[in-house]
């Protein structure tokens, strides 16, 4: 039985994760962390990691980038694996979690969906096959409560495509202030925020006289919840290191 400490438990994703865990027999939530400490389930909720008293095997974090530093400190002090699902980390924060992974297991992914990770693989293959004649644009759509833009997933896709390109790719987030032709080495990233869109990502390869589009549409937050839970059960048994969805899918 994997004992989970759920960070961001009173948020939308936290509540979905808690509901999904209840349907499983291989794990349970022993405590939660949230700025709102009102308990809604059968586990206590604390305002910070340092207040947690229960023994856990792994942490799932769906909270806010501002909590990363105390969470890393908590994980290092207690030798506790961390599943980091929060998006919007800056460069220094990414480096910090990578450093922590030398001492504890850290699972870091901007998207916990199996389908999205398949989309990433297909996008890499398309970039390799199509080459420089095709311009690449990424469009992501999310609900009107999402704070960061572009989404962590859109950046994951762009980074994956860049990793297989022989040329140095640059990311173009906004074109309205520039009056010039599109550069061949650009990857355009565009964000849409509205309504209750769970998450949609579209990768466009626009070439001479043809367009190829790869897309993924999330219908429910449960796909991300179950992905994070599977990652937690997996990570609780792993040695120190940096892990992502590719390790879970092996």
């Amino acid at each position: 039985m994997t004992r989970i400490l759920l960070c961001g438990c009173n948020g939308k994703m936290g509540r979905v994760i808690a509901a999904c865990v209840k349907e499983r027999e291989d794990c349970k939530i022993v405590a939660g962390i949230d700025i709102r400490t009102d308990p809604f389930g059968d586990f206590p909720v604390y305002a910070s990691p340092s207040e947690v008293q229960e023994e856990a095997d792994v942490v799932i974090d769906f909270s806010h980038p501002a909590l990363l530093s105390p969470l890393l400190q908590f994980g290092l002090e207690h030798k506790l694996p961390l599943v980091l699902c929060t998006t919007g980390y800056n460069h220094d924060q990414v480096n910090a979690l990578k450093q922590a992974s030398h001492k504890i297991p850290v699972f870091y992914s901007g998207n916990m969906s199996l389908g999205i990770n398949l989309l990433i693989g297909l996008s890499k293959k398309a970039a390799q096959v199509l080459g420089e004649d095709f311009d690449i644009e990424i469009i992501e759509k999310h609900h009107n409560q999402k704070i960061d833009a572009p989404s962590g997933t859109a950046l994951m896709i762009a980074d994956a495509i860049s990793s297989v390109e022989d040329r140095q790719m640059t990311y173009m987030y906004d074109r309205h202030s520039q009056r010039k032709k599109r550069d061949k080495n650009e990857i355009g990233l565009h964000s849409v925020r509205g309504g209750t869109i769970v998450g949609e990502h579209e990768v466009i390869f626009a070439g001479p006289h043809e367009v190829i589009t790869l897309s993924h549409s999330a219908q429910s937050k449960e796909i991300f919840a179950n992905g994070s839970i599977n990652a937690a059960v997996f990570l609780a048994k792993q040695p120190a290191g940096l892990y992502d969805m590719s390790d879970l899918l092996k």
Side-chain angles (χ1 to χ4, degrees):
M1 178 70 72
T2 302
R3 299 169 297 177
I4 297 171
L5 175 59
L6 180 57
C7 188
C9 62
N10 278 331
K12 292 180 180 179
M13 276 305 308
R15 289 176 179 267
V16 175
I17 291 171
C20 290
V21 168
K22 278 192 172 184
E23 302 298 319
R24 301 177 59 136
E25 297 181 354
D26 59 344
C27 57
K28 66 176 181 179
I29 298 173
V30 294
I33 301 171
D34 202 285
I35 56 174
R36 295 173 294 164
T37 56
D38 297 334
F40 68 90
D42 54 358
F43 54 86
V45 180
Y46 301 94
S48 68
S50 61
E51 298 176 18
V52 176
Q53 303 174 14
E54 285 70 20
E55 293 289 331
D57 300 309
V58 63
V59 176
I60 296 178
D61 175 47
F62 260 109
S63 59
H64 188 277
L67 196 62
L68 179 64
S69 182
L71 204 54
L72 290 177
Q73 182 179 352
F74 180 78
L76 290 168
E77 288 178 356
H78 296 270
K79 303 298 181 184
L80 201 57
L82 304 175
V83 178
L84 303 176
C85 311
T86 298
T87 59
Y89 293 140
N90 61 36
H91 180 73
D92 291 339
Q93 288 176 311
V94 173
N95 284 336
L97 68 88
K98 288 180 178 179
Q99 287 297 316
S101 72
H102 295 309
K103 298 180 179 180
I104 58 173
V106 176
F107 192 106
Y108 172 51
S109 178
N111 193 294
M112 303 303 296
S113 160
L114 174 63
I116 277 291
N117 285 273
L118 175 59
L119 175 68
I120 291 172
L122 293 173
S123 298
K124 290 171 65 175
K125 183 63 176 178
Q128 290 175 309
V129 171
L130 298 174
E132 296 184 14
D133 288 338
F134 282 73
D135 298 321
I136 304 168
E137 299 282 312
I138 300 171
I139 302 172
E140 57 94 355
K141 304 175 185 178
H142 285 86
H143 53 85
N144 57 21
Q145 300 301 303
K146 186 171 179 61
I147 298 173
D148 56 312
S151 67
T153 301
L155 291 171
M156 283 175 62
I157 298 170
D159 289 345
I161 292 172
S162 296
S163 72
V164 298
E165 292 282 358
D166 294 330
R167 48 190 169 146
Q168 183 67 40
M169 305 301 291
T170 60
Y171 298 168
M172 177 60 70
Y173 302 103
D174 191 3
R175 300 186 193 279
H176 86 277
S177 61
Q178 302 190 33
R179 293 180 59 83
K180 66 176 185 178
K181 293 181 180 179
R182 186 189 197 282
D183 190 275
K184 293 296 295 182
N185 294 340
E186 289 178 7
I187 297 179
L189 293 110
H190 313 281
S191 299
V192 176
R193 296 290 176 266
T196 57
I197 301 172
V198 175
E200 298 180 9
H201 291 84
E202 184 177 6
V203 188
I204 301 170
F205 295 87
H209 313 297
E210 62 180 333
V211 176
I212 298 168
T213 302
L214 303 173
S215 65
H216 176 272
S217 178
Q219 303 298 314
S220 168
K221 292 181 184 293
E222 286 190 14
I223 63 172
F224 311 123
N226 284 319
S228 68
I229 298 166
N230 290 335
V233 173
F234 161 82
L235 195 68
K237 305 172 185 176
Q238 304 306 315
L242 186 63
Y243 301 86
D244 58 25
M245 285 295 289
S246 65
D247 298 293
L248 188 62
L249 300 175
K250 289 178 180 177

